[in-house]
Amino acid sequence: MKNKTIAKAMIAVMLAGSLPAIAQDRGYHDSRAQERREDRREMRQERREERREYREDRREARRDYREDRRDDRHDNHRARGAGPRHDLYRGQRLPANYHNRQYVVDNWRSHRLSAPPRGYHWVQVGGDYVLAAVATGIIASVLLNN
């Protein structure tokens, strides 16, 4: 009986001594786990922000590229037109003085031009050629003599 009591007392002392250690260990692990969760949460948030910034940068780059292309087309279009003053462009009306027969190119093959569509004719304006509508004089195409 004495041995049983001593054994019970020893077990109680051992359990009492180890419980605070278990509780401390558990608390230590919980705080470390909490820190890891917070770290992961912060990393996910940083990745989200990086992806958002990357998408915004790509959108801005595409927008800049489109604007540059639009500016280039505009600049190339306006860089040089047909005629002695380089002021004739597609979509404009051919000046009245070029409606005269002396400017119309009838032998377009010898000038190495394509056949004009029905209702159009080639007009030589300085060293350049303009494909214009016969009835309205609207310029459909411009070939520059570089």
Side-chain angles (χ1 to χ4, degrees):
M1 177 100 161
K2 203 176 196 186
N3 287 341
K4 278 187 173 181
T5 308
I6 293 174
K8 286 181 182 178
M10 286 179 66
I11 290 174
V13 169
M14 286 175 35
L15 284 175
S18 64
L19 282 178
I22 291 172
Q24 286 176 350
D25 276 349
R26 184 175 177 105
Y28 173 74
H29 288 299
D30 283 347
S31 66
R32 292 280 303 230
Q34 181 66 27
E35 288 174 11
R36 284 195 301 271
R37 281 192 295 269
E38 289 173 4
D39 289 343
R40 283 193 301 265
R41 191 175 304 126
E42 288 174 8
M43 288 173 62
R44 282 192 304 265
Q45 184 63 30
E46 288 173 5
R47 282 195 303 262
R48 280 187 208 114
E49 290 174 8
E50 288 172 0
R51 284 192 303 263
R52 190 185 77 247
E53 290 172 6
Y54 176 76
R55 284 191 305 266
E56 289 173 2
D57 291 344
R58 293 294 299 151
R59 281 187 202 116
E60 185 175 334
R62 283 192 302 268
R63 189 174 27 246
D64 292 344
Y65 176 75
R66 280 189 227 112
E67 289 175 5
D68 290 345
R69 295 264 308 172
R70 186 172 35 251
D71 292 343
D72 287 347
R73 282 193 306 257
H74 179 71
D75 290 343
N76 288 341
H77 178 72
R78 295 293 178 194
R80 181 185 187 289
R85 294 188 314 267
H86 312 294
D87 60 348
L88 299 177
Y89 299 100
R90 183 176 172 220
Q92 291 181 333
R93 189 175 300 274
L94 195 63
N97 58 336
Y98 290 107
H99 289 279
N100 194 335
R101 286 298 302 168
Q102 72 182 22
Y103 296 106
V104 175
V105 178
D106 290 326
N107 57 348
W108 44 268
R109 282 189 185 100
S110 64
H111 290 265
R112 296 184 177 170
L113 299 170
S114 62
R118 181 180 294 237
Y120 288 85
H121 59 228
W122 287 105
V123 177
Q124 187 168 3
V125 183
D128 304 323
Y129 296 97
V130 171
L131 181 65
V134 174
T136 60
I138 300 294
I139 299 172
S141 179
V142 174
L143 288 177
L144 302 177
N145 182 13
N146 293 329

